[in-house]
Amino acid sequence: GAGVSQSPSNKVTEKGKDVELRCDPISGHTALYWYRQSLGQGLEFLIYFQGNSAPDKSGLPSDRFSAERTGGSVSTLTIQRTQQEDSAVYLCASSWRGGWGEQFFGPGTRLTVL
Amino acid sequence: AQKVTQAQTEISVVEKEDVTLDCVYETRDTTYYLFWYKQPPSGELVFLIRRNSFDEQNEISGRYSWNFQKSTSSFNFTITASQVVDSAVYFCALRVQGGSEKLVFGKGTKLTVNP
């Protein structure tokens, strides 16, 4: 079956612009995660959605970052007024909630802020 | 708070050598899960194995084996008879029961297997 998909695969933007990154989880997975991978910080958790529960936003680095998940499926991560330190690979993962629930990752979106 | 330490930043071996990747974790929770992921040059994280805190039985899958020891809070990964295709960055991760169940990753170990 189809895995987690993300778009775009690459995004180059200018400092100060807003960007939107999209994630399509595996069908039937109720949990969705966003992570960020950068050279200096490794893999960092950003935000988690589970069903209709309030998302866990504890990993978002600033209020310029936000995310939503519509209809319990597709998710969009938005970064407003991008800064050069936002340059990273943004990874999306999905899983079944609870128990083992290993997370399956998408290919990521490489964001470059000039 | 949870923490995962992969002390080896980079390892280089020659094909057919055995190699062990170290992982040490910290958590106060009694129920938790440990994972290994592989990230090849293509970039996509690939799930390799999971272990829960109540199962210390070691596991072997082909050339891969994992040694989980709660006494030393370690979850080490061994590749036997390494191959060039094993070249990748390997991440160890920890997840605690309940809450957001986010993964806490180590910094990763870059393994290069030379022909």
Side-chain angles (χ1 to χ4, degrees):
Chain A
V4 178
S5 61
Q6 293 186 245
S7 61
S9 55
N10 280 285
K11 176 72 176 178
V12 180
T13 190
E14 294 179 349
K15 178 182 173 181
K17 302 283 189 182
D18 298 351
V19 295
E20 284 189 353
L21 313 179
R22 177 188 168 103
C23 171
D24 278 280
I26 292 172
S27 178
H29 280 187
T30 58
L32 186 148
Y33 302 77
W34 284 97
Y35 293 86
R36 178 170 71 173
Q37 185 174 23
S38 57
L39 280 176
Q41 300 299 321
L43 274 156
E44 304 172 279
F45 164 77
L46 295 177
I47 189 169
Y48 159 73
F49 296 91
Q50 169 55 37
N52 295 320
S53 302
D56 176 357
K57 305 179 182 180
S58 61
L60 295 179
S62 77
D63 58 9
R64 296 186 296 104
F65 288 72
S66 63
E68 62 178 21
R69 188 179 185 191
T70 54
S73 181
V74 172
S75 177
T76 302
L77 177 69
T78 301
I79 309 173
Q80 296 178 311
R81 305 181 303 281
T82 52
Q83 304 294 312
Q84 287 183 333
E85 61 262 30
D86 300 334
S87 295
V89 177
Y90 290 82
L91 294 166
C92 177
S94 69
S95 75
W96 285 285
R97 174 69 165 88
W100 285 117
E102 72 265 28
Q103 296 175 25
F104 295 87
F105 283 80
T109 294
R110 181 175 296 278
L111 175 66
T112 303
V113 182
L114 302 176
Chain B
Q2 294 83 43
K3 184 178 179 181
V4 176
T5 301
Q6 294 179 255
Q8 304 149 309
T9 306
E10 293 192 42
I11 300 176
S12 182
V13 300
V14 177
E15 209 169 16
K16 297 184 183 178
E17 282 186 32
D18 298 347
V19 57
T20 295
L21 309 182
D22 297 333
C23 172
V24 174
Y25 63 92
E26 296 176 31
T27 180
R28 293 181 180 177
D29 293 80
T30 56
T31 303
Y32 53 89
Y33 304 90
L34 295 163
F35 301 80
W36 277 94
Y37 282 85
K38 174 182 180 179
Q39 188 174 42
S42 61
E44 194 158 341
L45 279 164
V46 177
F47 165 77
L48 295 178
I49 191 174
R50 64 180 174 229
R51 257 308 182 245
N52 73 48
S53 53
F54 300 110
D55 182 4
E56 286 191 74
Q57 189 172 14
N58 293 328
E59 183 161 335
I60 298 174
S61 176
R63 296 184 297 107
Y64 295 171
S65 62
W66 291 269
N67 184 320
F68 175 29
Q69 292 192 343
K70 287 178 72 172
S71 61
T72 56
S73 297
S74 65
F75 186 44
N76 296 337
F77 173 31
T78 297
I79 302 174
T80 302
S82 59
Q83 300 176 2
V84 173
V85 293
D86 295 328
S87 297
V89 180
Y90 291 86
F91 291 94
C92 181
L94 167 70
R95 176 167 69 79
V96 298
Q97 181 75 2
S100 74
E101 300 185 356
K102 66 183 181 184
L103 287 172
V104 175
F105 286 90
K107 296 291 188 184
T109 297
K110 182 178 181 181
L111 174 65
T112 302
V113 182
N114 298 299

